[in-house]
Each structure stands twice: as structure tokens, then as C-alpha cells.
Amino acid sequence: KILKLLSILILLVLLFLFAASRLMQDKVAAIILKSLNENITTKLQVGTFRLSFLSKFPRASLELRDVFVHSSPNFNSAEFSGINSDTLLRARMVSIEFKYTDILRGNYTIERIQARGGKMNFFTDSEGRVNYDISKGIKKPESDVFTIDLKKIYLAGIRAYYNSRAASLIINGVVRKGTLKSRIHGDNIDFNASADIQ
């Protein structure tokens, strides 16, 4: 009897989480995507999205399909003739993870991002300006509903292309699996990475 009741309870919880994710996905996606676009200097485009309370349990996740991030406008793209320098990231799927309680509080803190299947392009022109400087660097008020506090960034099956006119260097390869973590505090920047790359 205990096992039967426990099974029914688990099934009800799963059904509730599934239904709640479907009912709330438009609202949550609108807040996160609007906040992302307001915090970067370039344009972010998304094909489709899906909110899930189960796939990354015990975290909620917003899964974005066909993600396209444009290069920042502050570098000289004319130096890369014959190369599509407009694309910073194109990914088949990007997953953004946050806590369930963020939805109840209305204050979203993104803790993890996973990107799978796609391409990242990094360009540096002859004067050292880059296409990946996309942060607006605006200090938001404490009451803001969106915070990015990344502890880990996961990459899988991402082709990376780096072309520096300043250093006359081109690097091209595939990140099969990778984990990135960064912490910025004043003038100190800590960056840790581990990856299986080709």
C-alpha cells in the first residue's frame, strides 16, 4: 500500500511539473529572452523554446533551439572578406538552467548554460578589436529581475574558428566536450577550462 501511494504521489508530482512548465513557458521565456537582449550589444535570435521542470531536475531549464548570436559591431568586419564574420554563435540547442524558486520570486539567476551542436566564430581585426565583446557592461539595479551568475558553461559538438588579423593566426577545430568557468572580481579574472578538443 505504501509503495502504491508513493507511486501515485510521484506520478501526480510529475504531471503537475509537466503541466506547470507548459502553462508558464511563454512568460518565463519572454522574461529571459528580453533580459538577454537588453544586456548584450548584439542581436540574439531563437527558433523555438521549451520550458522543462523535469529534464534538468532539480533545476528548471529553458531549452532554446536554433540559436543565433550576431557578432558585436565594434570590429572591422571588412578585413575578413569572403568569410561570414556576422556570426558569433550558431547552435542547434542551448539550455539555460535556473532554480524553481526563481519563478516564484520573479527574479531569475542563470547558473548554467549548455550549448550543443553548432559553431562559434572569434575574430580579431588588425587593431585588436574583437567580435565577441557583446556585454553592455551596464550595472543593473538590485531590483532587476535577471542575473547571470554562471558557475559552468558546457559545450558539446561545437566547431570553433579563431581568426586574428592582429596576430596573423587562424585556429580551427571541434570542441567535443568542454566545461568553462569564470569569476571576475575587480581587476582579477579567474578562468578555468577543461575540454576534449580536436
Side-chain angles (χ1 to χ4, degrees):
K1 287 183 179 180
I2 293 174
L3 288 175
K4 186 177 180 181
L5 288 173
L6 187 60
S7 299
I8 292 172
L9 180 62
I10 290 172
L11 181 61
L12 288 174
V13 169
L14 291 175
L15 288 173
F16 172 77
L17 290 175
F18 178 79
S21 66
R22 291 295 173 265
L23 290 172
M24 302 180 74
Q25 75 177 0
D26 289 339
K27 178 182 176 182
V28 172
I31 291 172
I32 290 178
L33 292 174
K34 180 184 176 187
S35 298
L36 281 171
N37 276 307
E38 287 176 350
N39 281 278
I40 61 177
T41 59
T42 186
K43 190 163 59 173
L44 167 70
Q45 295 175 306
V46 175
T48 59
F49 56 82
R50 182 174 72 93
L51 178 67
S52 175
F53 292 154
L54 299 173
S55 63
K56 303 294 181 182
F57 188 84
R59 290 183 177 87
S61 69
L62 182 66
E63 296 176 359
L64 311 175
R65 299 279 178 179
D66 302 320
V67 176
F68 179 67
V69 181
H70 290 263
S71 292
S72 60
N74 302 322
F75 79 111
N76 186 2
S77 60
E79 292 185 10
F80 303 92
S81 60
I83 301 172
N84 181 11
S85 59
D86 185 50
T87 303
L88 173 60
L89 170 68
R90 185 182 294 276
R92 180 175 45 83
M93 194 277 289
V94 173
S95 175
I96 299 172
E97 298 179 30
F98 50 92
K99 295 178 182 175
Y100 292 121
T101 53
D102 290 358
I103 296 173
L104 299 175
R105 292 181 296 129
N107 192 330
Y108 294 82
T109 300
I110 294 180
E111 296 181 340
R112 293 183 182 181
I113 290 181
Q114 297 185 27
R116 291 192 183 94
K119 186 173 184 179
M120 299 180 77
N121 296 312
F122 303 100
F123 298 101
T124 305
D125 65 23
S126 57
E127 295 184 11
R129 293 171 299 190
V130 299
N131 76 320
Y132 49 88
D133 184 12
I134 63 171
S135 174
K136 284 187 177 176
I138 299 172
K139 188 175 181 182
K140 291 285 185 178
E142 292 182 6
S143 60
D144 192 45
V145 297
F146 183 77
T147 304
I148 299 177
D149 182 22
L150 291 178
K151 295 177 175 63
K152 286 187 178 178
I153 301 172
Y154 296 96
L155 303 174
I158 302 290
R159 177 166 288 282
Y161 177 77
Y162 174 78
N163 188 333
S164 173
R165 292 292 194 243
S168 298
L169 176 65
I170 295 177
I171 302 173
N172 191 17
V174 177
V175 180
R176 291 178 177 140
K177 292 181 181 178
T179 303
L180 312 176
K181 180 180 178 181
S182 65
R183 181 176 180 269
I184 301 173
H185 182 70
D187 293 333
N188 298 320
I189 300 175
D190 295 327
F191 180 80
N192 299 308
S194 62
D196 175 10
I197 61 176
Q198 179 181 1

mmCIF file of all heavy atoms in Angstrom, residues 113 120 150-155 175 178-182 191-195:
data_model
loop_
_atom_site.group_PDB
_atom_site.id
_atom_site.type_symbol
_atom_site.label_atom_id
_atom_site.label_comp_id
_atom_site.label_asym_id
_atom_site.label_seq_id
_atom_site.Cartn_x
_atom_site.Cartn_y
_atom_site.Cartn_z
ATOM 1 N N ILE A 113 24.760 27.205 -18.442
ATOM 2 C CA ILE A 113 24.364 27.230 -19.847
ATOM 3 C C ILE A 113 25.028 26.053 -20.545
ATOM 4 O O ILE A 113 26.214 25.796 -20.330
ATOM 5 C CB ILE A 113 24.769 28.555 -20.524
ATOM 6 C CG1 ILE A 113 23.921 29.711 -19.984
ATOM 7 C CG2 ILE A 113 24.593 28.457 -22.029
ATOM 8 C CD1 ILE A 113 24.233 31.040 -20.619
ATOM 9 N N MET A 120 31.106 28.344 -33.307
ATOM 10 C CA MET A 120 31.464 29.622 -32.705
ATOM 11 C C MET A 120 32.599 30.228 -33.535
ATOM 12 O O MET A 120 33.559 29.533 -33.873
ATOM 13 C CB MET A 120 31.922 29.442 -31.262
ATOM 14 C CG MET A 120 30.880 28.860 -30.346
ATOM 15 S SD MET A 120 31.459 28.652 -28.642
ATOM 16 C CE MET A 120 31.374 30.339 -28.081
ATOM 17 N N LEU A 150 27.133 32.729 -13.792
ATOM 18 C CA LEU A 150 27.496 31.445 -14.366
ATOM 19 C C LEU A 150 28.552 30.723 -13.542
ATOM 20 O O LEU A 150 29.611 31.272 -13.275
ATOM 21 C CB LEU A 150 28.025 31.632 -15.784
ATOM 22 C CG LEU A 150 26.988 32.071 -16.807
ATOM 23 C CD1 LEU A 150 27.661 32.270 -18.149
ATOM 24 C CD2 LEU A 150 25.870 31.077 -16.920
ATOM 25 N N LYS A 151 28.235 29.513 -13.150
ATOM 26 C CA LYS A 151 29.203 28.663 -12.479
ATOM 27 C C LYS A 151 29.833 27.697 -13.481
ATOM 28 O O LYS A 151 30.976 27.321 -13.356
ATOM 29 C CB LYS A 151 28.541 27.909 -11.344
ATOM 30 C CG LYS A 151 28.058 28.843 -10.236
ATOM 31 C CD LYS A 151 27.332 28.079 -9.154
ATOM 32 C CE LYS A 151 26.966 28.991 -7.996
ATOM 33 N NZ LYS A 151 26.047 30.059 -8.386
ATOM 34 N N LYS A 152 29.064 27.317 -14.493
ATOM 35 C CA LYS A 152 29.602 26.416 -15.504
ATOM 36 C C LYS A 152 28.938 26.656 -16.848
ATOM 37 O O LYS A 152 27.741 26.897 -16.932
ATOM 38 C CB LYS A 152 29.414 24.959 -15.094
ATOM 39 C CG LYS A 152 30.358 24.517 -13.997
ATOM 40 C CD LYS A 152 30.257 23.035 -13.755
ATOM 41 C CE LYS A 152 31.254 22.596 -12.679
ATOM 42 N NZ LYS A 152 31.145 21.159 -12.380
ATOM 43 N N ILE A 153 29.735 26.578 -17.898
ATOM 44 C CA ILE A 153 29.245 26.609 -19.263
ATOM 45 C C ILE A 153 29.695 25.307 -19.915
ATOM 46 O O ILE A 153 30.881 24.991 -19.906
ATOM 47 C CB ILE A 153 29.818 27.806 -20.049
ATOM 48 C CG1 ILE A 153 29.445 29.126 -19.369
ATOM 49 C CG2 ILE A 153 29.304 27.791 -21.486
ATOM 50 C CD1 ILE A 153 30.135 30.327 -19.972
ATOM 51 N N TYR A 154 28.748 24.550 -20.428
ATOM 52 C CA TYR A 154 29.059 23.268 -21.054
ATOM 53 C C TYR A 154 28.947 23.408 -22.571
ATOM 54 O O TYR A 154 27.989 23.983 -23.078
ATOM 55 C CB TYR A 154 28.085 22.187 -20.585
ATOM 56 C CG TYR A 154 28.163 21.885 -19.121
ATOM 57 C CD1 TYR A 154 27.288 22.477 -18.222
ATOM 58 C CD2 TYR A 154 29.113 20.997 -18.620
ATOM 59 C CE1 TYR A 154 27.349 22.202 -16.868
ATOM 60 C CE2 TYR A 154 29.187 20.714 -17.273
ATOM 61 C CZ TYR A 154 28.298 21.316 -16.395
ATOM 62 O OH TYR A 154 28.372 21.050 -15.059
ATOM 63 N N LEU A 155 29.933 22.864 -23.290
ATOM 64 C CA LEU A 155 29.918 22.846 -24.745
ATOM 65 C C LEU A 155 30.045 21.405 -25.222
ATOM 66 O O LEU A 155 30.793 20.627 -24.641
ATOM 67 C CB LEU A 155 31.086 23.670 -25.310
ATOM 68 C CG LEU A 155 31.192 25.130 -24.884
ATOM 69 C CD1 LEU A 155 32.475 25.739 -25.424
ATOM 70 C CD2 LEU A 155 29.987 25.925 -25.353
ATOM 71 N N VAL A 175 35.228 21.344 -30.454
ATOM 72 C CA VAL A 175 35.155 21.071 -29.020
ATOM 73 C C VAL A 175 34.159 19.935 -28.848
ATOM 74 O O VAL A 175 32.953 20.126 -28.979
ATOM 75 C CB VAL A 175 34.702 22.309 -28.220
ATOM 76 C CG1 VAL A 175 34.645 21.988 -26.735
ATOM 77 C CG2 VAL A 175 35.622 23.492 -28.478
ATOM 78 N N GLY A 178 33.323 20.189 -23.418
ATOM 79 C CA GLY A 178 34.097 21.202 -22.716
ATOM 80 C C GLY A 178 33.313 21.823 -21.574
ATOM 81 O O GLY A 178 32.082 21.894 -21.614
ATOM 82 N N THR A 179 34.032 22.257 -20.545
ATOM 83 C CA THR A 179 33.447 22.941 -19.405
ATOM 84 C C THR A 179 34.239 24.206 -19.144
ATOM 85 O O THR A 179 35.467 24.159 -19.026
ATOM 86 C CB THR A 179 33.474 22.057 -18.144
ATOM 87 O OG1 THR A 179 32.788 20.834 -18.417
ATOM 88 C CG2 THR A 179 32.787 22.754 -16.978
ATOM 89 N N LEU A 180 33.550 25.328 -19.053
ATOM 90 C CA LEU A 180 34.183 26.610 -18.768
ATOM 91 C C LEU A 180 33.606 27.183 -17.481
ATOM 92 O O LEU A 180 32.426 27.006 -17.185
ATOM 93 C CB LEU A 180 33.933 27.605 -19.908
ATOM 94 C CG LEU A 180 34.178 27.128 -21.335
ATOM 95 C CD1 LEU A 180 33.771 28.214 -22.318
ATOM 96 C CD2 LEU A 180 35.638 26.768 -21.533
ATOM 97 N N LYS A 181 34.455 27.883 -16.747
ATOM 98 C CA LYS A 181 34.010 28.544 -15.519
ATOM 99 C C LYS A 181 34.836 29.799 -15.344
ATOM 100 O O LYS A 181 36.064 29.761 -15.491
ATOM 101 C CB LYS A 181 34.192 27.615 -14.316
ATOM 102 C CG LYS A 181 33.757 28.225 -12.995
ATOM 103 C CD LYS A 181 33.979 27.242 -11.854
ATOM 104 C CE LYS A 181 33.589 27.851 -10.521
ATOM 105 N NZ LYS A 181 33.822 26.933 -9.404
ATOM 106 N N SER A 182 34.183 30.924 -15.070
ATOM 107 C CA SER A 182 34.934 32.159 -14.888
ATOM 108 C C SER A 182 34.416 32.942 -13.689
ATOM 109 O O SER A 182 33.248 32.842 -13.318
ATOM 110 C CB SER A 182 34.847 33.029 -16.148
ATOM 111 O OG SER A 182 33.530 33.456 -16.362
ATOM 112 N N PHE A 191 39.862 32.149 -14.848
ATOM 113 C CA PHE A 191 39.207 31.408 -15.912
ATOM 114 C C PHE A 191 39.712 29.976 -15.889
ATOM 115 O O PHE A 191 40.907 29.737 -15.955
ATOM 116 C CB PHE A 191 39.516 32.053 -17.269
ATOM 117 C CG PHE A 191 38.875 31.360 -18.420
ATOM 118 C CD1 PHE A 191 37.549 31.564 -18.750
ATOM 119 C CD2 PHE A 191 39.603 30.479 -19.212
ATOM 120 C CE1 PHE A 191 36.969 30.923 -19.831
ATOM 121 C CE2 PHE A 191 39.031 29.842 -20.280
ATOM 122 C CZ PHE A 191 37.703 30.062 -20.588
ATOM 123 N N ASN A 192 38.796 29.033 -15.755
ATOM 124 C CA ASN A 192 39.149 27.614 -15.751
ATOM 125 C C ASN A 192 38.431 26.920 -16.895
ATOM 126 O O ASN A 192 37.263 27.187 -17.153
ATOM 127 C CB ASN A 192 38.726 26.956 -14.423
ATOM 128 C CG ASN A 192 39.419 27.581 -13.243
ATOM 129 O OD1 ASN A 192 40.643 27.696 -13.226
ATOM 130 N ND2 ASN A 192 38.659 28.009 -12.252
ATOM 131 N N ALA A 193 39.128 26.029 -17.562
ATOM 132 C CA ALA A 193 38.514 25.300 -18.666
ATOM 133 C C ALA A 193 39.097 23.907 -18.745
ATOM 134 O O ALA A 193 40.283 23.687 -18.501
ATOM 135 C CB ALA A 193 38.763 26.034 -19.987
ATOM 136 N N SER A 194 38.237 22.951 -19.083
ATOM 137 C CA SER A 194 38.693 21.601 -19.394
ATOM 138 C C SER A 194 37.892 21.137 -20.604
ATOM 139 O O SER A 194 36.711 21.403 -20.693
ATOM 140 C CB SER A 194 38.474 20.656 -18.206
ATOM 141 O OG SER A 194 37.099 20.559 -17.909
ATOM 142 N N ALA A 195 38.586 20.493 -21.551
ATOM 143 C CA ALA A 195 37.884 20.142 -22.783
ATOM 144 C C ALA A 195 38.544 18.984 -23.500
ATOM 145 O O ALA A 195 39.730 18.730 -23.348
ATOM 146 C CB ALA A 195 37.833 21.356 -23.711
#
